[in-house]
C-alpha cells in the first residue's frame, strides 16, 4: 500500500474521518486496526509473525519492569531479548548472505546445499521495526522509559502506519507523550498537506523519472561513456534523497493530519561542508540510532583518536550491513566510515581546521561541492547491490569508467534530462536547509494549497506510472 496509491488514500481518508469523530479512548485502537490493515495489505501471513514479535517483546518489557521494581538485576533480560531480535532479523535477512559467505571461504558444498533447500522471504519493514523495538528495550533498561506502557500504546508505537515500513525510526520519548493528546489546528493541517504534496513531487516526479534513465547503466556499465556514468552517479544520489525524503515527508504529513509529530529524517544534507555534518543531516533517525546504540556502547569518542575512529568505522560498516545482505552494502558503509576517519584524523583533532580554509575564495561553495560529489560515489556500492553476486564487478566497472575519462562507448538515452532532475532535487534540499522559504510562503498558503494540489494531480497524471516501490521498502 504505497503512499502514492489509491488504496492508501482510501485507508487514510476513512481512518481520518472516523478518527476525529470518535472519543479519544477509541482513537488509539482505531490506529492500531488501521496499521494492521496497512501491513496486511503487503503480506497477510507475515502480519502474524510481526504480531508475535511485538507480543514477545512486550512480555520481555513487562518482565524487565518487574525486575526493576523489585530492585533485581535485569541485564540478562535485556541481553536475551536483544539477541532474540537480532536472531530474528539475521534469519530472515542474512541467512543466504551468511551461508554464501561461508561457502565462498570454505568451499564446502554442504553450505550451498543448505541455502538451496530453504525458501526464505524477507518480512516487510523488519530492519526498521527491529531497531525500533530494540531501542524500546534498551531505553527501559537505561531508565529513559520510566513507566509501563499499556498494551495498546506499545502496539501503536511499533505499528503506527505512517512510519511503519521505512521509518523514521521513532524514539519512545518523542512519540509516547503525544499518544493521549493528539492535537490538530489549521496550521498543522496545512503543514501536513504541504508535506504530502512535496513528498509526492519528490517521489513521483523526480525519483521515479531518474530511475529508468540510469537503470541500463547498472546492467552493463562497461558499454557507456564517462559522461553518462558521472551524471548517473550524481542522479542516483538525488533519486535516493527524493525517494526516501519524499516518503518521510508523506509520513510526517500523514502523522500531522492525525495530530502527531514524528521526526524529520533529512535537513538539507547536500549543503553540508563536512562528512560529519552530512551524517547529522542524512537519515537522521538511523544515524542517531547507530550513535546511541552501537557507537557509544563500543566506547564512542572515549579513549584515543584511533579507537574513536575505529568505533565510528565499525558503526558505519554495521550500518551498511543493516541496509542489505550484500558485501556491496558493507563496502558502502566502509567507504563512508573511511571518509569520516580521514576527515577526523586530518582536521578535527587539529583545532577543527577545514580542508579548504575560509580565506580561500568561495571556500564554502567549494567545500559543499566536493563533499556532495565524493558522497554521491558511495551510492555506486548502494545501487550496485541490486545486482547480487555481480554487485562488486558492477561497482568496479563504474569507478573504472569515471576514472578513465573515456569518451568512447554509448551515451545513456535521456541522459541530458538528468541535470534538470538533479537541480530539482537540490532545490528541495535547499528548502529543507533553509526553512525561511516555508515561513515566507506561509502567509500565502490558503492560495498556494489548492493551486499546488491541482498542479501535483496534473503532474501525477503526466509523469506517474502507477507508483513504484520506495527504495527503502526493501530494507
Amino acid at each position: 500500500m504505497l503512499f502514492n496509491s489509491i488504496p492508501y488514500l482510501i485507508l487514510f481518508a476513512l481512518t481520518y474521518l472516523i478518527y476525529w469523530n470518535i472519543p479519544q479512548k477509541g482513537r488509539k485502537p482505531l490506529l492500531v486496526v488501521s496499521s494492521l490493515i496497512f501491513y496486511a495489505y503487503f503480506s497477510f501471513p507475515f502480519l502474524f509473525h510481526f504480531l508475535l514479535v511485538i507480543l514477545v517483546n512486550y512480555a520481555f518489557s513487562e518482565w524487565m519492569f518487574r525486575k526493576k521494581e523489585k530492585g533485581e538485576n535485569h541485564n540478562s533480560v535485556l541481553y536475551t531479548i536483544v539477541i532474540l531480535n537480532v536472531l530474528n532479523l539475521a534469519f530472515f535477512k542474512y541467512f543466504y548472505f551468511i551461508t554464501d559467505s561461508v561457502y565462498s571461504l570454505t568451499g564446502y558444498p554442504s553450505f550451498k546445499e543448505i541455502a538451496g533447500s530453504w525458501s526464505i522471504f524477507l518480512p516487510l519493514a523488519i530492519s526498521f521495526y527491529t531497531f525500533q523495538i530494540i531501542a524500546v528495550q534498551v531505553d527501559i533498561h537505561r531508565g529513559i522509559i520510566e513507566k509501563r506502557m499499556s498494551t495498546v500504546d506499545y502496539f501503536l508505537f511499533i505499528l503506527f502506519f505512517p512510519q511503519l515500513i521505512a521509518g523514521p525510526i521513532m524514539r519512545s520519548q518523542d512519540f509516547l507523550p503525544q499518544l493521549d493528546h493528539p492535537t490538530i489546528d489549521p496550521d498543522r493541517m496545512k503543514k501536513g498537506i504541504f508535506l504530502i504534496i512535496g513528498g509526492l513531487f519528490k517521489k513521483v516526479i523526480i525519483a521515479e523519472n531518474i530511475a529508468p534513465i540510469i537503470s541500463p547503466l547498472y546492467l552493463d556499465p562497461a558499454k557507456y561513456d564517462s559522461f553518462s556514468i558521472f551524471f548517473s552517479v550524481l542522479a542516483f544520489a538525488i533519486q535516493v534523497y527524493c525517494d526516501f525524503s519524499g516518503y518521510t515527508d508523506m509520513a510526517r504529513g500523514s502523522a500531522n493530519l492525525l495530530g502527531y509529530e514524528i521526526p524529520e529524517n533529512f535537513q538539507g544534507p547536500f549543503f553540508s561542508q563536512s562528512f560529519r555534518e552530512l551524517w547529522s543531516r542524512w537519515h537522521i533517525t538511523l544515524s542517531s540510532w547507530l550513535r546511541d546504540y552501537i557507537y557509544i556502547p563500543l566506547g564512542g569518542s572515549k579513549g584515543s583518536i584511533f579507537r574513536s575512529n575505529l568505533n565510528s568505522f565499525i558503526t558505519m560498516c554495521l550500518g551498511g550491513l543493516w541496509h542489505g545482505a550484500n558485501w556491496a552494502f558493507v563496502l558502502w558503509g566502509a567507504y563512508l566510515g573511511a571518509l569520516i576517519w580521514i576527515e577526523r584524523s586530518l582536521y578535527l583533532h587539529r583545532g577543527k581546521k577545514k580542508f579548504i580554509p575560509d580565506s580561500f575564495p568561495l571556500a564554502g561553495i567549494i567545500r559543499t561541492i566536493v563533499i556532495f560529489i565524493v558522497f554521491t560515489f558511495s551510492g555506486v556500492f548502494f545501487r550496485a547491490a541490486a545486482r547480487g553476486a555481480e554487485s562488486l564487478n558492477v561497482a568496479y566497472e563504474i569507478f573504472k569508467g569515471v576514472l578513465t575519462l573515456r569518451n568512447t562507448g554509448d551515451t545513456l538515452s535521456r541522459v541530458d534530462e538528468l541535470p534538470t532532475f538533479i537541480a530539482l532535487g537540490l532545490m528541495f534540499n535547499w528548502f529543507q536547509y533553509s526553512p525561511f522559504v516555508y515561513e515566507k510562503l506561509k502567509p500565502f498558503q490558503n492560495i498556494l494549497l489548492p493551486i499546488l494540489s491541482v498542479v501535483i494531480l496534473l503532474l501525477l497524471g503526466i509523469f506517474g506510472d502507477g507508483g513504484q516501490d520506495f527504495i527503502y521498502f526493501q530494507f
Side-chain angles (χ1 to χ4, degrees):
M1 193 179 292
L2 303 176
F3 283 167
N4 51 318
S5 68
I6 298 300
Y8 179 77
L9 177 62
I10 294 171
L11 174 66
F12 185 82
L14 290 174
T15 301
Y16 179 84
L17 291 173
I18 298 172
Y19 181 82
W20 290 115
N21 286 284
I22 60 175
Q24 172 57 29
K25 67 179 182 180
R27 289 174 181 168
K28 289 189 287 186
L30 171 66
L31 290 179
V32 171
V33 171
S34 296
S35 300
L36 293 174
I37 294 171
F38 181 81
Y39 194 89
Y41 185 88
F42 287 104
S43 175
F44 189 74
F46 274 125
L47 175 63
F48 295 99
H49 168 262
F50 191 11
L51 290 174
L52 178 62
V53 169
I54 299 175
L55 280 169
V56 170
N57 275 273
Y58 181 70
F60 270 83
S61 297
E62 288 293 296
W63 187 9
M64 202 180 313
F65 272 119
R66 288 195 297 271
K67 287 267 191 181
K68 292 184 73 174
E69 289 167 358
K70 294 177 181 178
E72 298 175 359
N73 187 289
H74 48 275
N75 289 342
S76 60
V77 180
L78 175 68
Y79 299 151
T80 302
I81 191 57
V82 169
I83 290 171
L84 287 175
N85 281 306
V86 171
L87 288 175
N88 178 62
L89 176 64
F91 174 75
F92 284 101
K93 190 165 185 174
Y94 301 107
F95 178 81
Y96 296 116
F97 174 72
I98 293 171
T99 54
D100 288 347
S101 297
V102 174
Y103 171 72
S104 298
L105 289 172
T106 65
Y108 292 148
S110 56
F111 290 105
K112 197 75 172 176
E113 293 169 3
I114 292 172
S117 63
W118 289 71
S119 294
I120 301 173
F121 298 95
L122 186 66
L124 193 68
I126 188 171
S127 296
F128 283 94
Y129 73 64
T130 297
F131 270 23
Q132 193 155 306
I133 286 174
I134 288 176
V136 170
Q137 304 293 1
V138 175
D139 287 350
I140 293 172
H141 173 75
R142 292 176 175 175
I144 295 173
I145 301 177
E146 299 177 346
K147 299 179 181 178
R148 277 190 167 94
M149 288 175 277
S150 69
T151 308
V152 172
D153 285 1
Y154 196 96
F155 271 70
L156 181 55
F157 176 65
I158 305 301
L159 285 166
F160 188 54
F161 71 91
Q163 58 81 228
L164 173 60
I165 306 302
I169 302 171
M170 294 195 299
R171 299 296 185 89
S172 56
Q173 61 267 36
D174 295 330
F175 189 68
L176 292 177
Q178 302 182 63
L179 284 181
D180 291 320
H181 309 285
T183 56
I184 193 72
D185 55 50
D187 280 343
R188 178 171 278 187
M189 287 186 66
K190 292 169 187 175
K191 177 187 172 187
I193 295 171
F194 268 124
L195 284 169
I196 291 171
I197 290 173
L200 279 170
F201 188 94
K202 284 192 277 188
K203 164 63 176 172
V204 178
I205 311 305
I206 302 177
E208 291 192 3
N209 278 282
I210 290 175
I213 298 175
I214 67 175
S215 288
L217 173 72
Y218 287 87
L219 296 176
D220 188 6
K223 67 183 287 190
Y224 293 101
D225 58 29
S226 296
F227 176 84
S228 296
I229 296 174
F230 179 74
F231 275 96
S232 294
V233 170
L234 299 186
F236 179 68
I238 297 297
Q239 180 193 344
V240 174
Y241 166 75
C242 288
D243 189 282
F244 194 22
S245 71
Y247 172 91
T248 303
D249 288 348
M250 287 183 269
R252 294 178 65 222
S254 299
N256 280 167
L257 293 176
L258 294 171
Y260 300 111
E261 288 286 346
I262 60 176
E264 172 61 281
N265 244 345
F266 297 86
Q267 291 180 347
F270 294 148
F271 285 91
S272 302
Q273 296 188 27
S274 71
F275 292 109
R276 294 190 73 199
E277 180 187 355
L278 189 149
W279 278 103
S280 70
R281 296 175 176 275
W282 175 279
H283 203 167
I284 298 167
T285 58
L286 175 62
S287 298
S288 61
W289 194 100
L290 292 171
R291 178 197 65 207
D292 293 346
Y293 301 103
I294 295 181
Y295 175 68
I296 292 177
L298 283 173
S301 57
K302 296 178 181 178
S304 66
I305 294 173
F306 173 82
R307 182 52 194 260
S308 175
N309 286 333
L310 180 61
N311 292 338
S312 177
F313 183 77
I314 292 171
T315 300
M316 294 303 293
C317 289
L318 291 175
L321 185 61
W322 174 86
H323 280 80
N326 188 294
W327 283 109
F329 283 119
V330 178
L331 287 176
W332 174 72
Y335 175 94
L336 296 167
L339 291 176
I340 294 173
W341 189 323
I342 293 169
E343 182 179 80
R344 293 181 69 185
S345 297
L346 292 178
Y347 309 112
L348 183 64
H349 67 290
R350 296 181 182 176
K352 298 184 178 179
K353 294 180 181 178
K354 298 172 182 177
F355 68 92
I356 298 177
D358 288 331
S359 58
F360 196 86
L362 302 176
I365 295 174
I366 295 173
R367 280 196 297 265
T368 299
I369 292 172
V370 170
I371 295 296
F372 172 65
I373 292 176
V374 176
F375 171 76
T376 61
F377 275 89
S378 70
V380 172
F381 297 109
F382 195 99
R383 179 61 178 80
R387 289 294 307 276
E390 297 296 319
S391 58
L392 299 185
N393 289 331
V394 170
Y396 169 76
E397 289 294 339
I398 290 175
F399 278 107
K400 177 182 174 183
V402 172
L403 295 175
T404 54
L405 300 175
R406 63 172 179 247
N407 56 13
T408 57
D410 296 344
T411 299
L412 275 172
S413 176
R414 297 174 57 200
V415 71
D416 57 312
E417 298 177 26
L418 291 181
T420 301
F421 290 121
I422 292 170
L424 284 172
L426 291 175
M427 179 188 72
F428 277 100
N429 191 80
W430 178 60
F431 287 168
Q432 286 182 318
Y433 187 79
S434 307
F436 79 89
V437 175
Y438 175 75
E439 295 300 323
K440 291 289 185 182
L441 295 176
K442 196 173 181 179
F444 309 102
Q445 56 189 357
N446 290 339
I447 299 172
L448 288 173
L449 271 177
I451 294 175
L452 292 175
S453 298
V454 172
V455 169
I456 194 66
L457 286 173
L458 291 174
L459 290 173
L460 288 173
I462 296 171
F463 293 102
D465 64 352
Q468 301 172 16
D469 279 354
F470 289 87
I471 291 173
Y472 268 71
F473 276 24
Q474 63 184 295
F475 306 136

